[in-house]
Amino acid sequence: MTRTVAATTVAELVQRQWGDRRTGLQSRGTVLTHHDAAAGAAARAALLAELLPRGAEPHLGVLLDNTPEYPLWLGAAALAGAAVAGINPTRRGAELARDLVHTECRVLVTQRTHLPLLEGLALPDVRVLVTDTDAYRALLAPYAGATPGEAVVRPVSPASRLLLYFTSGSTGAPKAALCSQGRLAAAGASLAGQFGVRPDDVHYICMPMFHGNAVIADWAPALAAGAGVALRDRFSASGFLPDVRDFGATYFTYVGRAVQYLLATPERPDDRAHGLRLGFGTEAGAVDAARFEARFGVPLVEGYGSSEGGAALRRTPDTPPGAIGRAAPGDRLAVVDPETGEECAPARFSASGRLLNGERAIGELVNQGRAPFEGYWRNPEAEAERRRGGWYWTGDLFYRDEAGFLYFAGRTDDRLRVDSENLAAAVIENILARWEDVTAVAVYAVPDPVAGDLVMAALSPVEGRAFDPARFEAFLRAQDDLGTKMPPRFVRVMRSLPTTATNKIHRARLRADAFLCPDEVWWRATPAAVYEPLTPDSVAALRAAYTAHSRAHLLGR
């Protein structure tokens, strides 16, 4: 039976672990009870109280893989009234230093494998703790007898800042979104209730914990329900099922690219020999979600909640295929044309499910009611952009049917305008993902030499299978929901698609490369032409066309 939780802070949830001798936290080589986890968090809270200078912001940076130290320090921050800035290990040099300095971290918790990232960085007054060293263990030892609530840097309340997690963007420095103890505790309780999380469940965390996906959608509901947590230091497609079986995992979170990696592993007769009952995440796409359930016997529930907490959707049993859900209670969500501020028309569909009026139905999702967005750290300009006109603008594209169900159509950066018609990359991707010859697809805009955009797709073929343009053209012709503007003019063939540190496809890099890349590229000189290899002569002719229309600068190189 699902544990009922009325806790208003994460600190309360950590304190409730005290005395619980069931297995609570596992990784390869580590097994801790819930009580051990609470004791470990209390010891680290006491150490933190000693290390943070008086008057300094109670912020610590955590630059770790998914080791047990990560959730222990999250618990420590909650108990102490401090906040964790999750540091992305793919950041380098001045950018990484900027993340720490910007969030005013006076303590940095890391591990030996990440020490080279810190070499030569200017980190004034930052105390570095290296968790897998004797020095760290000796530093922590005097606090082994600490109890939860004993060491407090700042008084704990639902409004206490707990997370400063960086949101990715295509331009500018990442923004540190704020999340309070109250919001995280409420999110955990909501998801635990929605998915019927039980104390005997085990949540498998294989997405990086410096990102909101793992903390908000995986760790928090486990904590709220008293369930166990199992960690993978970094996502591994080949290690996924062995981990799930060994840990007895029942729930996991994902992003779409991780699902594609799992589907690309060789099929085995024992693919369904596990205890998983649910996966929850984003951007898997209807085709990949169906393939995943058919192969592994695990339903994937697509969710939506903006990283900053400004809008959320709730899936109900009557949610139609392809839709994410309706607005969560209390949210006043609308799909709005960002240029006019007017609400977009309801979506109309053909008998086969094709969106017929994308140019009028697709817009940006906004929350016109009271959004739980708590702001960005020291970034009033970005806050104002999110809250312009008194609404919360998500930066995500959606369309809405007559019944109020919302369908994800991509990020605002993923919008394409082809021959004066607005298209959404996610809609085209979901169609191309049906092709059995590929394991991954990304669709994005490249500039048209004259005006607007052209559609480009990056495809990752099934291993050992070359791209066959004739087969691809036949596949496109067979898709009755593929609009006339949707077929890619350029196709980039890649062994694997580039990803961000959070296992999302790195579309900004693909857009920046356009068709000027070392990979195999095919193209159609006109929409009616057949696909042919993009040769140096073709590139030269394209460059001339861009130059003739004063658009060469849009290629970026």
Side-chain angles (χ1 to χ4, degrees):
M1 188 171 182
T2 302
R3 175 179 171 183
T4 301
V5 178
T8 59
T9 66
V10 175
E12 292 176 57
L13 294 173
V14 175
Q15 289 169 342
R16 291 184 183 186
Q17 294 181 306
W18 191 260
D20 188 340
R21 304 294 178 177
R22 297 175 302 119
T23 299
L25 180 60
Q26 306 175 69
S27 70
R28 293 290 178 183
T30 300
V31 178
L32 300 178
T33 65
H34 288 286
H35 176 85
D36 294 335
R44 286 157 180 79
L47 173 59
L48 184 64
E50 292 293 328
L51 294 181
L52 283 174
R54 288 186 180 277
E57 292 290 348
H59 297 174
L60 64 146
V62 177
L63 176 60
L64 292 171
D65 295 334
N66 288 358
T67 71
E69 289 286 346
Y70 213 123
L72 292 178
W73 276 103
L74 286 173
L79 293 173
V84 168
I87 306 301
N88 183 339
T90 67
R91 301 274 282 173
R92 293 292 185 273
E95 291 185 342
L96 190 150
R98 177 263 174 200
D99 293 348
L100 286 163
V101 173
H102 171 67
T103 48
E104 301 181 46
C105 293
R106 302 301 291 272
V107 174
L108 174 63
V109 181
T110 189
Q111 61 198 82
R112 284 184 292 180
T113 55
H114 293 323
L115 286 178
L117 301 179
L118 306 178
E119 292 178 2
L121 299 188
L123 299 174
D125 303 319
V126 177
R127 177 70 178 269
V128 178
L129 307 181
V130 186
T131 58
D132 47 351
T133 63
D134 290 338
Y136 172 77
R137 288 183 280 270
L139 190 65
L140 196 58
Y143 306 98
T147 57
E150 180 179 306
V152 177
V153 178
R154 285 190 181 176
V156 175
S157 74
S160 297
R161 192 181 311 131
L162 180 58
L163 301 176
L164 301 98
Y165 52 98
F166 289 98
T167 61
S168 58
S170 58
T171 60
K175 303 177 290 290
L178 305 178
C179 181
S180 66
Q181 292 215 26
R183 181 157 77 89
L184 187 59
S190 176
L191 287 172
Q194 180 179 348
F195 295 131
V197 181
R198 305 180 297 264
D200 60 350
D201 277 317
V202 176
H203 284 211
Y204 178 55
I205 302 180
C206 55
M207 297 291 99
M209 293 194 74
F210 65 79
H211 191 260
N213 173 291
V215 175
I216 298 173
D218 216 341
W219 181 71
L223 193 66
V229 165
L231 302 173
R232 176 80 187 196
D233 55 353
R234 297 183 182 185
F235 174 77
S236 166
S238 62
F240 181 85
L241 280 182
D243 276 355
V244 163
R245 295 181 182 120
D246 291 347
F247 294 135
T250 56
Y251 170 101
F252 75 105
T253 58
Y254 64 84
V255 295
R257 188 66 181 116
V259 170
Q260 292 174 347
Y261 282 135
L262 292 169
L263 289 171
T265 59
E267 293 191 32
R268 293 171 51 96
D270 60 352
D271 277 344
R272 289 182 172 227
H274 55 73
L276 278 178
R277 62 183 178 86
L278 180 69
F280 176 59
T282 60
E283 300 180 35
V287 173
D288 283 346
R291 288 175 179 168
F292 192 91
E293 184 170 7
R295 175 174 168 184
F296 298 107
V298 182
L300 299 183
V301 177
E302 284 283 296
Y304 175 82
S306 67
S307 300
E308 292 87 341
L313 302 181
R314 179 159 295 181
R315 191 175 186 86
T316 54
D318 58 339
T319 301
I324 302 297
R326 285 191 175 104
D331 280 354
R332 289 178 51 219
L333 302 186
V335 178
V336 170
D337 184 325
E339 296 179 3
T340 66
E342 296 179 357
E343 191 159 355
C344 294
R348 292 189 295 105
F349 302 96
S350 69
S352 63
R354 174 187 162 194
L355 178 63
L356 296 174
N357 62 333
E359 72 282 357
R360 298 184 62 240
I362 295 173
E364 185 169 349
L365 185 69
V366 301
N367 191 345
Q368 298 174 332
R370 182 180 177 276
F373 173 53
E374 295 176 311
Y376 297 115
W377 180 254
R378 304 277 197 255
N379 199 332
E381 296 83 5
E383 283 191 33
E385 175 65 18
R386 282 288 184 207
R387 290 175 162 147
R388 64 189 187 273
W391 295 346
Y392 176 84
W393 297 75
T394 66
D396 294 320
L397 299 175
F398 275 81
Y399 50 97
R400 187 182 213 151
D401 65 20
E402 292 279 5
F405 289 103
L406 289 152
Y407 299 70
F408 181 68
R411 310 299 178 192
T412 50
D413 285 343
D414 296 335
R415 192 172 199 159
L416 304 88
R417 189 161 179 83
V418 179
D419 293 341
S420 299
E421 181 175 329
N422 291 325
L423 305 176
V427 174
I428 306 173
E429 283 178 2
N430 288 337
I431 297 172
L432 299 188
R434 301 169 189 161
W435 194 31
E436 61 184 13
D437 283 11
V438 297
T439 60
V441 176
V443 170
Y444 46 99
V446 296
D448 186 293
V450 180
D453 301 316
L454 297 174
V455 180
M456 185 163 183
L459 306 179
S460 181
V462 171
E463 187 172 355
R465 195 173 298 175
F467 175 74
D468 185 330
R471 279 176 57 84
F472 185 57
E473 288 170 1
F475 163 79
L476 294 177
R477 288 193 297 271
Q479 309 312 305
D480 60 6
D481 55 349
L482 187 73
T484 58
K485 311 295 185 184
M486 294 181 179
R489 289 285 293 277
F490 296 90
V491 176
R492 180 177 180 177
V493 182
M494 308 179 72
R495 177 175 297 179
S496 61
L497 304 189
T499 57
T500 66
T502 55
N503 290 306
K504 295 182 178 180
I505 293 174
H506 204 318
R507 287 180 174 79
R509 184 182 301 172
L510 292 171
R511 284 194 296 267
D513 289 345
F515 49 80
L516 304 175
C517 59
D519 295 308
E520 174 186 349
V521 176
W522 296 74
W523 79 306
R524 284 170 156 171
T526 68
V530 298
Y531 285 105
E532 60 184 53
L534 185 68
T535 64
D537 287 344
S538 301
V539 171
L542 282 165
R543 283 190 180 278
Y546 282 98
T547 300
H549 293 89
S550 301
R551 289 171 64 86
H553 63 285
L554 298 178
L555 290 176
R557 61 178 69 183

